[in-house]
Amino acid sequence: MTQARRGSIVGATWLIGLGLVFLAQRALDVPWVQAWPLFLILLGTANFVQTVLDRRPGIGGIWMFTWSIVWIGVGVILLLSTTGRLGTGPIDLIVNGWPWLLVGLGVWLLIGAVMPGGPAPTERLAIPLRGAPAAAVRIRFGAGTLVSHRAETGMLVDGTYAGGVVQRDIGPGRIELSQDTTYGMPWLDHRSGWDVGLTGEVPLDLRLEAGASRTTLDLRSLQLRSLDLQTGASETRVVLPAAAGMTQVRAEAGAASLTIEIPSGVAARIRTRMALGSSAIDEGRFPRVGDLYQSIDYGTSANRVDLDIQGGVGAVRVVGGA
């Protein structure tokens, strides 16, 4: 299904849902102070439709509808509360009921862990670049092991994806990759290991959102224009390009270990802001200048990196490579 058709279906769902919400409010003959939970039910329904469009159906697919079920369930319970069917007000219900919601979510995830939805596949991707003058790739990887390499000639992305992958074509040269939850939770009941090939033929904007993962990005031979890196409780190593001209890097690391290697001959300007974590910068190559670190030849170098790192409670290292 094309992105335009998917967007039309989601938009139509919202319009129909909004109409039904207003019709239901009139049919129930209740004021909006009581009918507002209908919007939570609508949110869950729209999320359900979006999930159906973005994921492939299969055995165990119920687990991918977790948040849809939560929103619909909470909306129904609050609607019963606001209309007086439960005998307790919504405020008291929220104050007293949220621990039970956490327990219910925990039980749901435990069931998903011990009753997986079937063996997860190892898939191969080979998506052509199709003459696009530039590329943009977004990777959403919750847990597992992820490594990268340069894609084969003519490919936007390629590689192998143990645990399954869901791809979303956003436009020419633009794609989003995320883990497939059709077969259960990758971080609970089956192995997830990706070897992602990224194009090195055109300028690339790369965004990686990683959770509890071990990630190694080898970007040294790519024309990386920008990297937006967000990591959680992870161990991440990034080798930046050796000859990409100007590269912008923005990294946000939570409880993470993050190592960034800058190849020889590449100048850099580095800013780090850590909350409780630590940062170690190779000051031999990148001397400290005020509140940042910068190569002596940063202003004149043909290949350079502008690196901005924000960290939480982890450790960040910036090292010089060969």
Side-chain angles (χ1 to χ4, degrees):
M1 182 180 295
T2 65
Q3 183 70 14
R5 181 171 296 181
R6 183 185 292 108
S8 297
I9 293 175
V10 173
T13 300
W14 275 103
L15 290 175
I16 294 171
L18 285 171
L20 291 175
V21 164
F22 287 104
L23 289 173
Q25 186 264 340
R26 291 184 180 180
L28 294 172
D29 193 26
V30 294
W32 284 112
V33 70
Q34 296 179 352
W36 62 266
L38 289 171
F39 289 104
L40 296 182
I41 299 174
L42 171 59
L43 177 61
T45 303
N47 183 264
F48 181 92
V49 172
Q50 182 73 58
T51 302
V52 170
L53 294 175
D54 290 345
R55 301 291 193 266
R56 295 179 303 235
I59 299 174
I62 188 174
W63 307 112
M64 63 186 177
F65 298 110
T66 295
W67 293 112
S68 303
I69 295 171
V70 168
W71 284 117
I72 293 173
V74 169
V76 169
I77 292 173
L78 287 175
L79 182 63
L80 293 174
S81 174
T82 58
T83 55
R85 304 294 179 85
L86 293 183
T88 183
I91 301 299
D92 291 336
L93 187 65
I94 293 172
V95 170
N96 297 322
W98 69 265
W100 290 105
L101 177 60
L102 295 181
V103 171
L105 280 173
V107 171
W108 181 258
L109 293 177
L110 279 176
I111 293 173
V114 300
M115 297 180 62
T122 295
E123 301 181 24
R124 290 195 59 86
L125 280 186
I127 300 176
L129 191 58
R130 296 190 180 93
V137 178
R138 180 180 182 183
I139 299 174
R140 304 174 67 182
F141 191 78
T145 302
L146 185 149
V147 299
S148 76
H149 64 273
R150 178 169 174 151
E152 296 292 331
T153 301
M155 294 295 118
L156 171 60
V157 296
D158 60 16
T160 57
Y161 300 77
V165 59
V166 175
Q167 64 186 71
R168 178 188 294 179
D169 294 322
I170 303 174
R174 303 171 60 86
I175 196 166
E176 178 181 301
L177 306 177
S178 58
Q179 287 177 305
D180 189 352
T181 58
T182 299
Y183 302 89
M185 300 287 187
W187 51 94
L188 291 177
D189 51 18
H190 63 76
R191 172 180 172 269
S192 183
W194 286 9
D195 185 355
V196 183
L198 300 167
T199 181
E201 299 176 58
V202 297
L204 170 67
D205 296 313
L206 175 63
R207 179 181 177 89
L208 171 63
E209 302 165 19
S213 63
R214 177 173 293 179
T215 301
T216 301
L217 297 180
D218 186 353
L219 311 174
R220 73 185 76 210
S221 62
L222 306 190
Q223 299 181 44
L224 186 68
R225 184 167 54 188
S226 69
L227 171 63
D228 187 348
L229 179 64
Q230 299 181 16
T231 67
S234 63
E235 178 182 340
T236 304
R237 182 177 183 87
V238 180
V239 181
L240 292 176
M246 181 65 183
T247 300
Q248 298 278 347
V249 179
R250 299 292 177 267
E252 296 183 13
S257 169
L258 173 61
T259 300
I260 296 179
E261 179 180 327
I262 301 175
S264 176
V266 178
R269 179 169 58 196
I270 305 163
R271 291 175 294 275
T272 63
R273 297 183 297 281
M274 303 296 293
L276 300 176
S278 63
S279 61
I281 311 298
D282 182 354
E283 294 192 47
R285 277 193 56 189
F286 316 110
R288 183 160 190 156
V289 181
D291 60 351
L292 54 80
Y293 303 84
Q294 183 170 300
S295 304
I296 296 174
D297 60 342
Y298 180 80
T300 59
S301 178
N303 298 302
R304 51 183 171 168
V305 174
D306 185 51
L307 178 57
D308 190 334
I309 305 173
Q310 298 184 48
V313 296
V316 171
R317 296 173 61 237
V318 179
V319 299

